[in-house]
Amino acid sequence: MEEMDNVVVLKDENGVETEFEIITDLEVDGNVYYILYPLDDEESEEAVAMKVDVDEEGNEILSEIEDDEEFEKVASAYEKWLETADEEEFEDEE
């Protein structure tokens, strides 16, 4: 994982690199997750959730969320974050 400010570059299993913007980080059940949006695909409005892990060398790495229950908890936390962000944006406009 290569990181620049709020942008990360991830490689898929075929070695193809994609840039993602980190929208927010969420803490769920003591774990940290990043919510990412792809920068290369402007038509996509779908966020990607990745778990922040630490490798043997102490480096931060991003892992896919493989457990359905864990994913649902993160998705729920993200929906709550979106609602709060929308409310704050509305208040700022007044």
Side-chain angles (χ1 to χ4, degrees), residues 1-4 6-22 36-42 44 46 48 50 62:
M1 170 184 75
E2 185 180 322
E3 188 171 342
M4 299 169 285
N6 68 332
V7 174
V8 293
V9 178
L10 301 178
K11 285 185 184 179
D12 68 12
E13 60 274 355
N14 298 319
V16 177
E17 292 184 349
T18 304
E19 289 185 324
F20 291 87
E21 180 180 6
I22 301 171
L36 311 169
Y37 278 113
L39 292 176
D40 297 341
D41 187 359
E42 294 178 13
S44 177
E46 192 168 315
V48 176
M50 301 287 285
L62 296 179

Side-chain angles (χ1 to χ4, degrees), residues 45-70:
E45 294 184 17
E46 192 168 315
V48 176
M50 301 287 285
K51 184 176 184 178
V52 178
D53 284 321
V54 178
D55 67 11
E56 301 84 29
E57 299 170 4
N59 299 314
E60 225 179 53
I61 59 171
L62 296 179
S63 305
E64 289 185 44
I65 303 170
E66 296 180 10
D67 181 73
D68 290 341
E69 184 178 329
E70 179 181 12

Side-chain angles (χ1 to χ4, degrees), residues 14-36:
N14 298 319
V16 177
E17 292 184 349
T18 304
E19 289 185 324
F20 291 87
E21 180 180 6
I22 301 171
I23 301 303
T24 189
D25 60 342
L26 303 169
E27 186 172 336
V28 178
D29 292 342
N31 295 307
V32 176
Y33 300 86
Y34 284 166
I35 304 299
L36 311 169

